[in-house]
Amino acid sequence: MKKQLFKVILGTILFFGFYFICTNAQAEVSPSNEYVRKAWEASSSNNFEEVERLAKECIKNYKDEALAQQALLSDFPAKGTEDDYFALNDVATCNFIYAESLMYLGEMDRAKEIFHTIVDDFPWSQTWDPRGWYWSIAEKSQASLDKLEGRYEETQVEQVDRGQKTMPKLHTPGTEDIIDYKEYGRFLNVGTKDYVYKMDDPAGLMKAIGEGIYPNTSGVLKDPLYRQLKKEGRLQGSHWDYVHTDDLEVAFYKWAMASEPQGVKLFYLGLLFEKADMLYEALKCYRVIQVHFPKAVGKTYWNTPWYPAQAAIAKIRHLVNIHPELDLKYEGARIQVINGFDNDIFNDVVITWPGTLAKKTWIDKVKEKFRKYFNKPSSQKLIKNPSQVIGGEKVKLVQDSKTGHWQLQVDGKPFMIQAITYQSTKVCQSPDKGTMEDWMLEDTNNNGKPDGPYDSWIDKNFNNDKDPDEPVVGDFQLLKEMGVNTIRVYKQPNNPTKEVLRDLYENYGIMTIMSDFLGKYALGSGATWFEGTDYENLEHKKNMLASVRAMVEEFKDEPFVLMWLLGNENNYGLGCNADKKPAAYYQFVDEVARMIKTIDNTRPVAMCNGDSLFLDVFAENCPNVDIFTANAYRGDYGFGSFWEQVFDATGKPAFITEYGCPAYANFLEREDAEQAQADYHKGAWDDIMFNASGTKDGVGNALGGVIFEWIDEWWKNYEPCFHDKTAGAQGPFPDGYMYEEWFGITGQGNGSFSPFMRQLRKAYYYYQGVWNP
């Protein structure tokens, strides 16, 4: 995600995407916030005298008010009320920036004094991270104190003992594993906004489906165990406290009786049943949402709309795929949400096709065996009679004249993008502290070659030492053996080294997606960080056009370039105003795409979005962009309705420019957490292949994906010399939180041999198995 570019933003982690879409913006700026803005800006330019002046002035003017606001709190403010405590937050933030500056200058005693002040006087202070959340200033101050006083490693979060796992025991389980809804009612107005399922035999359906699952919601009240647990007081508290728990017995009753919309409640019940390996019950929950509640809407962590029926379809498809022993087939299901790319749920129009979920017949099984043993995978079949061709002889994008499916071709062969975000970040380096090196140039051992690409080695036995049987291999060779055929590289802030990328292509067969941030993080526009890129500013646009032009002219004759990619989820904001002025942004993207094609029309042009937010605005304004791409983190089942959304709105092909999962969860041991990470990746890649060209039931516009990321980057949760286990933003991951320092499919162990040592995780071997022919 190239967040290694951030020069001034500290904090926890970003999420992104899954179907969780970050669109929050900071509330109205308070008077004291101007001190914060200017202090960050002064810090980023190393003007420490100005930092000191601003901090002291802010403290002088607002300290009393800050202490008064602190006295009103006994915990962090409720979500949505953070800015009511602006003086508390801004005074603590200015103190923090000042203390960090003193650390940089080596004045450790003064820095510790200020950090202690924050911890002692302002424990409930928070500061806004433009990536979409608040983080605790006292927590980060304590981390700095722990580092300065030699206690940091002792403070790291240990595995949490969650107790013995308990399983749901249904008093009245359903009489049928798979519900044939035609036996109990009728599907009316299929394929329209007026779709509805009319129950003709509700009593029969209740008996077939079992207690706790709609329409048998009252069955729980008759369950003796429910009454017993309620009497014992074990059902106290919020059902949201039972999303990630091993007490699945209590969790079932809490969610079955939760006062949530049925679509939301059933989705979380399905998740609980999955954890309990009660797969038929999980499938029933997901199927009920689709059949009865296709218009259900929930909220994400950032209060943006979430459509559980679309997620339920993806869940069913995923479970059927990874559990072939169930002998199930799932066909024809689709939920289309027109106008679903904004935050206004009242303009949504929902079109429903319920499809079918049923046991496979012997004919189905014969057809499957025939396809498996006699047919190539559909994505490997060359489209020979395209209706559209975009690109040149070497790289072309083609659309099948019969099916409308899209395929990328390189050197006359089908090309699935099997890519990874590559960065061989050395432990203790951080862009936040201005110490990040360019991986294409970094040569720690002075042998004339970049460290990570050529000098890394595998710690096979995880002993954090280089043993005699662990020779130097190099990341480029490891990527080749994994089956990677593409990496994603940005022009900024360091211009890519052609010699390295040429060698990557010529000797390892790996191409490059060449990218420009297009004003994201204020890169390429000439804007300052706090000013941010303005897509209506003529000077900013002129600078960005020149930046892209220079990139294309410099690299257009290089055979290793697969395509041109514009932006990096700019629609989320952060150093630019694309979130505030989406039409202006996407119009400018199209202008840039047109310009690229005047210089090089031999390769496709793609744009990187943040999930599908503003997809409708993109569709209206970007006819010259050939491929829609997105950073998306939707869950272990893949990307849900993403492919349909893109095709319905634009007719274009798509691929995922970022997806992944942490290899850490606070209740799993290392091997189990690695397996959870690998399972997440499997669900994502299966979904991509399901929707690739030639597919029978998929959309046919998926071109591949880019894994995030190659190796753990230790700087992302503040202290770059320590591998932090602090939970950050919520997300669809093993324990419900994102640990962005753990997203690598390879690790750096205890960091003692960084940047050379690699500990290959299970996800690496998963891809090695599926990406190699």
Side-chain angles (χ1 to χ4, degrees):
M1 210 168 262
K2 299 293 183 183
K3 289 173 285 297
Q4 58 265 39
L5 303 170
F6 300 178
K7 295 294 182 181
V8 295
I9 300 299
L10 302 171
T12 52
I13 51 187
L14 120 128
F15 173 52
F16 357 72
F18 179 169
Y19 46 86
F20 295 110
I21 301 173
C22 171
T23 59
N24 268 10
Q26 191 174 11
E28 291 297 319
V29 174
S30 63
S32 56
N33 188 259
E34 188 68 7
Y35 290 110
V36 173
R37 185 186 71 78
K38 290 180 178 179
W40 278 126
E41 196 165 32
S43 176
S44 68
S45 58
N46 295 330
N47 186 350
F48 300 121
E49 288 184 3
E50 181 67 2
V51 170
E52 182 177 17
R53 185 191 72 80
L54 290 164
K56 288 183 175 180
E57 191 170 322
C58 179
I59 294 164
K60 176 183 176 182
N61 293 336
Y62 292 95
K63 181 179 179 180
D64 290 344
E65 191 171 356
L67 290 171
Q69 291 178 357
Q70 171 65 42
L72 297 173
L73 298 170
S74 58
D75 200 343
F76 291 111
K79 187 175 180 182
T81 67
E82 295 93 345
D83 286 317
D84 293 344
Y85 301 87
F86 65 90
L88 168 64
N89 295 337
D90 294 341
V91 168
T93 302
C94 283
N95 266 307
F96 181 82
I97 300 169
Y98 183 28
E100 284 281 295
S101 298
L102 291 170
M103 281 181 65
Y104 183 88
L105 294 171
E107 299 184 33
M108 302 307 180
D109 289 339
R110 290 179 65 197
K112 286 194 286 185
E113 182 181 343
I114 296 173
F115 284 133
H116 275 298
T117 296
I118 296 171
V119 172
D120 295 339
D121 295 348
F122 310 116
W124 306 124
S125 60
Q126 299 178 97
T127 195
W128 172 255
D129 189 317
R131 286 174 280 183
W133 54 82
Y134 285 88
W135 49 265
S136 167
I137 306 169
E139 177 188 319
K140 301 304 178 189
S141 298
Q142 186 62 58
S144 292
L145 284 170
D146 291 334
K147 176 185 177 182
L148 291 171
E149 296 169 357
R151 297 190 308 271
Y152 195 84
E153 288 182 288
E154 300 171 10
T155 66
Q156 293 298 281
V157 177
E158 299 299 327
Q159 298 287 346
V160 175
D161 182 5
R162 290 153 51 104
Q164 186 175 358
K165 193 170 188 177
T166 61
M167 310 296 277
K169 303 177 184 67
L170 302 185
H171 179 61
T172 53
T175 59
E176 298 177 14
D177 290 336
I178 299 298
I179 305 298
D180 182 357
Y181 279 93
K182 291 183 179 179
E183 290 188 11
Y184 304 101
R186 291 164 286 155
F187 298 106
L188 304 179
N189 305 315
V190 171
T192 75
K193 65 181 179 62
D194 299 315
Y195 161 85
V196 67
Y197 176 73
K198 181 175 176 57
M199 284 188 285
D200 294 329
D201 182 10
L205 182 55
M206 290 172 65
K207 183 178 179 182
I209 208 161
E211 73 173 276
I213 305 175
Y214 184 87
N216 193 353
T217 53
S218 62
V220 173
L221 296 174
K222 303 173 185 178
D223 189 328
L225 183 55
Y226 169 73
R227 295 197 295 268
Q228 176 187 334
L229 294 176
K230 188 174 182 180
K231 184 177 180 180
E232 293 173 355
R234 288 181 60 192
L235 300 181
Q236 299 297 317
S238 169
H239 47 279
W240 291 108
D241 296 332
Y242 290 87
V243 174
H244 302 285
T245 176
D246 278 344
D247 193 350
L248 300 178
E249 182 179 71
V250 169
F252 164 70
Y253 293 116
K254 290 293 295 183
W255 273 99
M257 301 305 295
S259 57
E260 297 287 343
Q262 283 287 353
V264 174
K265 179 162 68 172
L266 286 159
F267 191 85
Y268 281 94
L269 273 174
L271 293 178
L272 294 171
F273 281 130
E274 277 193 66
K275 291 176 186 177
D277 293 324
M278 299 171 70
L279 298 180
Y280 286 117
E281 283 75 15
L283 287 167
K284 288 176 186 178
C285 289
Y286 298 138
R287 184 78 171 128
V288 169
I289 304 171
Q290 179 200 338
V291 170
H292 290 276
F293 307 104
K295 298 180 182 180
V297 182
K299 287 185 178 181
T300 71
Y301 177 74
W302 291 281
N303 291 319
T304 56
W306 166 59
Y307 301 96
Q310 291 182 330
I313 290 176
K315 269 290 188 184
I316 296 172
R317 186 180 296 138
H318 174 64
L319 289 175
V320 168
N321 180 50
I322 66 172
H323 291 286
E325 72 277 8
L326 298 178
D327 271 343
L328 296 175
K329 61 177 180 179
Y330 185 46
E331 300 174 328
R334 186 182 179 204
I335 306 288
Q336 181 182 11
V337 183
I338 300 172
N339 302 325
F341 306 120
D342 56 27
N343 292 332
D344 181 6
I345 64 173
F346 298 104
N347 66 3
D348 293 346
V349 178
V350 180
I351 314 297
T352 304
W353 293 265
T356 58
L357 176 64
K359 286 285 187 179
K360 292 177 183 175
T361 65
W362 68 270
I363 296 177
D364 296 321
K365 295 176 184 179
V366 169
K367 288 181 178 178
E368 278 186 357
K369 288 184 178 180
F370 181 85
R371 285 196 298 267
K372 180 178 180 180
Y373 291 110
F374 295 99
N375 288 353
K376 276 185 176 182
S378 58
S379 61
Q380 294 180 16
K381 294 180 179 178
L382 188 70
I383 293 177
K384 297 180 179 179
N385 297 304
S387 58
Q388 286 193 68
V389 178
I390 299 168
E393 285 301 311
K394 182 175 180 62
V395 180
K396 64 181 66 173
L397 189 63
V398 302
Q399 186 175 31
D400 191 279
S401 57
K402 294 181 180 179
T403 64
H405 290 185
W406 286 95
Q407 184 179 75
L408 191 62
Q409 298 177 2
V410 176
D411 294 327
K413 298 178 182 178
F415 188 94
M416 282 296 293
I417 298 171
Q418 299 172 179
I420 197 161
T421 301
Y422 178 81
Q423 182 85 2
S424 56
T425 306
K426 188 176 181 179
V427 167
C428 289
Q429 290 184 0
S430 169
D432 295 334
K433 300 180 183 298
T435 57
M436 184 72 75
E437 299 291 335
D438 181 353
W439 66 266
M440 294 192 190
L441 300 175
E442 187 172 37
D443 182 14
T444 304
N445 57 7
N446 298 312
N447 67 351
K449 298 183 295 184
D451 294 331
Y454 300 103
D455 297 325
S456 65
W457 49 272
I458 303 170
D459 179 23
K460 294 185 294 186
N461 58 7
F462 288 79
N463 70 344
N464 289 293
D465 200 1
K466 191 175 189 306
D467 298 319
D469 63 341
E470 295 172 344
V472 169
V473 181
D475 285 347
F476 284 179
Q477 180 63 30
L478 293 175
L479 293 174
K480 178 181 179 181
E481 292 175 6
M482 176 179 157
V484 171
N485 61 21
T486 312
I487 66 169
R488 175 186 174 193
V489 168
Y490 276 87
K491 177 189 174 184
Q492 303 104 336
N494 303 305
N495 204 45
T497 303
K498 285 184 180 180
E499 291 73 20
V500 172
L501 297 179
R502 283 175 186 159
D503 186 64
L504 178 64
Y505 174 67
E506 292 171 359
N507 292 311
Y508 301 93
I510 298 174
M511 302 187 75
T512 298
I513 297 173
M514 192 60 64
S515 316
D516 188 288
F517 279 108
L518 208 65
K520 177 76 173 202
Y521 322 121
L523 289 168
S525 66
T528 66
W529 174 266
F530 287 98
E531 176 188 15
T533 301
D534 180 356
Y535 293 101
E536 292 180 337
N537 183 299
L538 295 179
E539 187 66 23
H540 291 180
K541 291 166 68 175
K542 177 183 175 182
N543 292 337
M544 289 183 284
L545 281 165
S547 175
V548 176
R549 177 181 290 276
M551 175 184 72
V552 177
E553 288 180 343
E554 180 178 0
F555 290 95
K556 65 183 176 65
D557 296 324
E558 296 293 340
F560 60 73
V561 176
L562 179 66
M563 67 178 68
W564 310 108
L565 180 67
L566 301 174
N568 182 61
E569 58 186 34
N570 299 41
N571 56 315
Y572 288 164
L574 186 53
C576 70
N577 66 0
D579 57 331
K580 311 289 192 312
K581 300 178 179 179
Y585 168 65
Y586 291 112
Q587 288 165 10
F588 179 65
V589 169
D590 198 63
E591 180 182 349
V592 177
R594 290 198 307 272
M595 184 266 291
I596 290 175
K597 292 181 178 183
T598 66
I599 305 170
D600 176 36
N601 63 359
T602 67
R603 298 177 179 90
V605 178
M607 186 217 65
C608 175
N609 211 56
D611 212 281
S612 58
L613 181 67
F614 300 135
L615 177 57
D616 52 342
V617 185
F618 169 86
E620 290 178 15
N621 293 287
C622 292
N624 290 286
V625 175
D626 305 310
I627 305 170
F628 181 86
T629 82
N631 299 343
Y633 297 82
R634 296 195 176 191
D636 63 0
Y637 54 82
F639 307 98
S641 59
F642 174 81
W643 311 104
E644 291 176 350
Q645 290 175 334
V646 175
F647 195 79
D648 290 344
T650 70
K652 296 179 186 290
F655 67 93
I656 306 298
T657 34
E658 267 189 34
Y659 68 95
C661 174
Y664 174 81
N666 75 358
F667 59 89
L668 294 178
E669 298 300 327
R670 179 184 63 82
E671 289 193 2
D672 293 331
E674 283 190 22
Q675 187 60 55
Q677 181 193 43
D679 291 343
Y680 186 107
H681 278 276
K682 181 181 188 308
W685 189 253
D686 283 348
D687 185 58
I688 289 169
M689 294 303 295
F690 180 81
N691 289 285
S693 66
T695 183
K696 175 177 176 288
D697 298 311
V699 180
N701 65 340
L703 303 180
V706 185
I707 298 167
F708 183 77
E709 61 182 326
W710 171 243
I711 195 165
D712 290 346
E713 297 182 273
W714 287 25
W715 63 268
K716 291 187 173 179
N717 202 33
Y718 181 64
E719 278 299 339
C721 294
F722 300 96
H723 206 184
D724 203 295
K725 298 173 183 175
T726 302
Q730 293 178 349
F733 302 112
D735 71 349
Y737 292 94
M738 192 179 203
Y739 302 86
E740 202 176 355
E741 292 194 5
W742 294 80
F743 266 68
I745 62 168
T746 69
Q748 302 200 61
N750 64 9
S752 57
F753 283 91
S754 180
F756 304 109
M757 186 175 71
R758 302 288 181 261
Q759 292 182 346
L760 304 185
R761 292 179 172 144
K762 294 181 180 182
Y764 175 91
Y765 294 108
Y766 162 72
Y767 283 110
Q768 189 176 60
V770 297
W771 277 5
N772 287 296

